[in-house]
Amino acid sequence: MPGDQNEHAARRPRRNRVAMLLVASLVFIIGLVWVVAAYFDLWHMVRPRTFPAVEVTELDERQAAVIEVLRTEFAENPPGEKYSEGADEAWCANFVSWVMREAGMPLANPNSGWWRIPGVYTLEEYYRAEGRFESRESGYEPKAGDVVLYAPGSKFTQHTSIVVRNDDGALTTVGGNEFIHGEVAARNVSTGHSGIIGYGVL
């Protein structure tokens, strides 16, 4: 009997260590999933698809036109070929070009003069040439209808989207070819995010 009691007593610390190890592993896995999801902004996959709240009465006519086009495309969420004239290619810049044309303010490709600018670099080139580019470091506060331009090394890669609201530096944008599956979707980003090159001003 004393031997059995000693054996049971010896097993308890081992069980406790195993239980603690399992709990620690579970906490680590949950934390890792949270960090990865936050970094790649994957939580949109479990959030309802609702267009960001925008007070249209506070916008000027040009801003309101852009927001209404974005609202329609967000609801329809069509494939990217719609914005790329049928081309199977990355389409975030095509989406920006298409929205601006539909809103009555077409862009002009510096290389062809056409309304569609298929690349983020060329989109930045266009805004610089037009005198409508503001760098992130300039302190410019982007407004609804402005275009956000991201660097190739940002967590969003070389990307672009359109501002729908700015809450004291917390931007809500809507863009095309967003997230893993490539969709018309909203995302949140801070104006202080180091991956932002700057803004194309409406």
Side-chain angles (χ1 to χ4, degrees):
M1 293 292 291
D4 291 341
Q5 291 176 349
N6 291 338
E7 185 177 348
H8 285 307
R11 285 177 181 171
R12 280 195 209 100
R14 286 199 295 271
R15 287 179 187 148
N16 290 341
R17 284 196 296 271
V18 170
M20 290 175 64
L21 183 61
L22 288 173
V23 170
S25 299
L26 183 60
V27 169
F28 174 78
I29 291 170
I30 292 173
L32 182 62
V33 169
W34 182 274
V35 168
V36 170
Y39 182 81
F40 291 104
D41 202 6
L42 301 182
W43 296 122
H44 79 287
M45 299 174 71
V46 296
R47 294 197 299 261
R49 273 188 57 86
T50 54
F51 191 80
V54 180
E55 187 52 66
V56 180
T57 57
E58 297 178 359
L59 306 178
D60 64 30
E61 184 177 340
R62 298 162 75 244
Q63 290 173 314
V66 171
I67 295 302
E68 285 311 304
V69 174
L70 288 173
R71 191 188 305 276
T72 299
E73 299 312 303
F74 183 93
E76 293 181 2
N77 195 22
E81 287 81 2
K82 172 179 178 177
Y83 311 106
S84 306
E85 298 182 294
D88 182 15
E89 61 187 18
W91 51 280
C92 60
N94 289 327
F95 178 79
V96 168
S97 302
W98 193 93
V99 168
M100 292 303 174
R101 186 184 67 156
E102 289 297 301
M105 294 162 282
L107 310 182
N109 190 316
N111 301 314
S112 66
W114 194 232
W115 65 268
R116 184 165 69 90
I117 301 177
V120 177
Y121 177 81
T122 310
L123 191 61
E124 178 188 345
E125 186 181 13
Y126 164 79
Y127 280 113
R128 286 184 182 275
E130 291 288 307
R132 294 163 53 195
F133 176 82
E134 294 287 347
S135 69
R136 179 176 63 86
E137 293 82 5
S138 70
Y140 173 76
E141 285 296 323
K143 302 172 180 61
D146 288 346
V147 174
V148 186
L149 300 159
Y150 297 96
S154 77
K155 71 176 183 179
F156 307 124
T157 68
Q158 192 171 32
H159 186 61
T160 184
S161 56
I162 300 173
V163 177
V164 295
R165 59 186 295 168
N166 181 354
D167 298 306
D168 296 322
L171 300 182
T172 302
T173 67
V174 171
N177 204 24
E178 294 279 0
F179 304 111
I180 294 174
H181 301 295
E183 56 187 303
V184 178
R187 73 160 78 236
N188 301 310
V189 65
S190 167
T191 53
H193 178 57
S194 61
I196 294 176
I197 299 172
Y199 309 97
V201 180
L202 182 65

